[in-house]
């Protein structure tokens, strides 16, 4: 009977989707497996009403598989996955519909002469039951009688407050087209303890999903245009993590979590605001660091300064900017890509420094 096979396929699909094994599938996959199951149930019911229950060994085995999957997954879900206050109510409604339907189908097939009066009696009994239920609820406690009320629980925060320096990764424009650059940088070397921040600069939705375990390590879910996903690496193990976009699986990149590095400090010394010959403006003025290193600027001068990427001729190049740093202030920035970065003080443009990243 084709209904048995379709129902079994649908139940297996629902089990995989909702058990967490394939939880990163788009909702359409859940809907598809659900639709397959219900189409199978329709065919199954039609087959039973038309030709009765098959007694072949194959049909019995298929029925056993369907029952085993349903009961096993149902018991597991009720015991470990259920968080709804309405499960008992919904189960009662389903049983109230299912049992009479089974009885009427059997009577219609085997004893059609008694199906009509039994149906009439059941309909009257159901109507009286509903009337009494509603009436009793109105006169006793209408606010809590029929459906349990949800307990007010504060929603957990979905966004992660950065616990360390930010390492920025961008989902590039037009990355949904196969072959185009997708994540920048494609291989990100991140010091443990940093917070990785992905920003979707594209106009379509994407995800950031760990590839080897289908999102168990991290999964952003769907990110719309302009949305941000943060990942705290403090508790992540040292090593390489490949990730991809579930919607566009050809978009693949990696993050490499390294042992946390000591930050490099650059001092803004006393008197840096005065353009005297021999005066140090940033100490040291040129530093060489590796990718993933954090540089910390400290203003020990008595005057306000900035550390702004670019140079006085072209201005700010939008890589990093400390804003105004008063005496004693600190500013830190993590360099995620190799290159030579010039910077200057916008208040005292003769103050120039360089960070070389390898």
């Amino acid at each position: 009977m084709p209904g048995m096979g379709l129902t079994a396929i649908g139940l297996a699909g629902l089990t995989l989707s909702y058990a967490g094994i394939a939880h990163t599938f788009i909702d359409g996959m859940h809907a598809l497996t659900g639709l397959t199951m219900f189409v199978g149930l329709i065919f199954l019911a039609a087959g039973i009403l038309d030709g009765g229950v098959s007694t072949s060994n194959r049909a019995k085995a298929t029925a056993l598989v369907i029952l085993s999957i349903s009961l096993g997954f149902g018991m597991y879900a009720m015991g470990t996955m259920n968080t709804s206050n309405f499960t008992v109510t919904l189960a009662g409604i389903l049983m109230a519909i299912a049992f009479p339907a089974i009885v009427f189908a059997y009577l219609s097939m085997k004893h059609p002469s008694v199906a009509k009066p039994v149906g009439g009696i059941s309909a009257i009994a159901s109507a009286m039951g509903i009337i009494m239920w509603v009436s009793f609820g109105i006169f006793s406690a209408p606010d809590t009688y029929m459906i349990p009320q949800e307990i007010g629980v504060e929603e957990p925060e979905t966004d992660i407050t950065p616990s360390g320096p930010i390492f920025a990764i961008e989902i590039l424009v037009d990355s949904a087209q196969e072959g185009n650059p997708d994540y920048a940088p494609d291989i990100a070397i991140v010091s443990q303890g940093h917070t990785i921040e992905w920003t979707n600069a594209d106009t379509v939705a994407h995800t950031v999903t760990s590839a080897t375990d289908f999102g168990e390590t991290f999964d952003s879910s769907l990110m719309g245009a302009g949305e941000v996903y943060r990942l705290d690496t403090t508790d992540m193990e040292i090593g390489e993590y490949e990730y991809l976009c579930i919607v566009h699986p050809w978009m693949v990149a990696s993050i490499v979590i390294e042992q946390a590095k000591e930050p490099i400090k650059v001092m803004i010394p006393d008197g840096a605001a005065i353009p005297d010959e021999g005066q140090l403006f940033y100490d040291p003025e040129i530093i060489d660091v590796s990718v993933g290193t954090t540089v910390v600027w400290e203003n020990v001068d008595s005057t306000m300064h900035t550390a702004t990427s670019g140079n006085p001729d072209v201005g700010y190049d939008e890589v990093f900017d400390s804003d105004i740093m008063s005496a004693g202030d600190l500013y830190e920035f993590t360099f995620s890509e190799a290159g030579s970065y010039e910077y200057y003080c916008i208040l005292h443009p003769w103050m120039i420094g360089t960070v070389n990243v390898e």
Side-chain angles (χ1 to χ4, degrees):
M1 190 178 298
M4 288 185 173
L6 285 172
T7 305
I9 292 169
L11 281 170
L14 285 175
T15 303
L16 291 174
S17 297
Y18 290 109
I21 300 172
H23 71 88
T24 53
F25 278 25
I26 299 175
D27 290 342
M29 292 299 294
H30 299 169
L32 180 61
T33 52
L35 180 63
T36 304
M37 184 185 71
F38 285 113
V39 169
L41 290 174
I42 292 170
F43 277 106
L44 185 61
I48 291 173
L49 291 174
D50 181 51
V53 179
S54 175
T55 56
S56 68
N57 290 333
R58 181 177 297 178
K60 290 177 181 178
T62 305
L64 265 177
V65 169
I66 293 173
L67 286 174
S68 300
I69 294 174
S70 303
L71 292 174
F73 181 61
M75 293 298 293
Y76 173 76
M78 282 287 291
T80 62
M81 299 168 61
N82 178 49
T83 58
S84 172
N85 294 326
F86 308 107
T87 304
V88 176
T89 302
L90 291 175
I93 293 172
L94 289 174
M95 286 190 290
I97 295 171
F99 285 132
I102 293 170
V103 172
F104 294 148
Y106 177 79
L107 290 176
S108 298
M109 182 175 62
K110 296 292 186 180
H111 305 285
S113 59
V114 301
K116 189 173 182 179
V118 170
I121 293 170
S122 299
I124 294 171
S126 299
M128 289 299 297
I130 292 171
I131 291 170
M132 294 299 294
W133 187 19
V134 173
S135 299
F136 182 72
I138 290 174
F139 289 115
S140 62
D143 57 336
T144 58
Y145 171 67
M146 294 183 68
I147 298 178
Q149 301 298 304
E150 287 199 50
I151 300 172
V153 178
E154 187 176 338
E155 290 290 328
E157 295 226 4
T158 56
D159 197 13
I160 297 174
T161 302
S163 60
I166 293 290
F167 188 104
I169 300 177
E170 187 173 284
I171 302 176
L172 300 174
V173 175
D174 295 330
S175 55
Q177 185 174 343
E178 190 169 0
N180 281 354
D182 38 44
Y183 300 98
D186 195 60
I187 300 176
I189 301 174
V190 186
S191 294
Q192 192 179 45
H194 286 50
T195 297
I196 305 174
E197 181 179 272
W198 284 268
T199 302
N200 184 9
D202 202 3
T203 55
V204 300
H206 294 284
T207 77
V208 173
T209 305
S210 56
T212 56
D213 54 10
F214 303 103
E216 289 297 328
T217 304
F218 56 89
D219 182 19
S220 65
S221 299
L222 284 177
M223 298 170 59
E227 290 188 348
V228 172
Y229 169 64
R230 293 190 179 103
L231 176 66
D232 188 351
T233 64
T234 302
D235 297 325
M236 294 181 68
E237 294 183 2
I238 304 299
E240 184 172 355
Y241 298 82
E242 188 177 82
Y243 65 92
L244 76 162
C245 173
I246 288 295
V247 186
H248 312 99
W250 52 86
M251 294 174 56
V252 179
S254 298
I255 56 174
V256 179
I257 308 299
E258 291 189 334
Q259 192 71 38
K261 301 175 182 177
E262 287 295 323
I264 304 297
K265 181 170 281 190
V266 175
M267 311 291 289
I268 302 177
D270 187 37
I274 303 171
D276 287 341
E277 187 176 349
Q279 171 67 46
L280 273 176
F281 303 119
Y282 295 103
D283 185 16
E285 291 184 348
I286 300 174
I287 58 173
D288 299 317
V289 301
S290 59
V291 171
T293 300
T294 299
V295 177
V296 180
W297 286 267
E298 182 179 4
N299 183 11
V300 298
D301 197 6
S302 57
T303 305
M304 293 184 293
H305 294 283
T306 77
T308 304
S309 61
N311 61 62
D313 296 328
V314 300
Y316 174 43
D317 62 10
E318 300 186 356
V319 177
F320 61 88
D321 183 21
S322 65
D323 292 325
I324 301 296
M325 298 171 63
S326 299
D329 284 353
L330 297 172
Y331 169 68
E332 61 182 38
F333 180 78
T334 302
F335 290 87
S336 58
E337 295 188 34
S340 182
Y341 299 86
E342 285 186 321
Y343 65 94
Y344 68 109
C345 173
I346 60 174
L347 302 177
H348 312 98
W350 53 86
M351 297 174 57
I352 296 174
T354 304
V355 179
N356 296 315
V357 183
E358 298 177 349

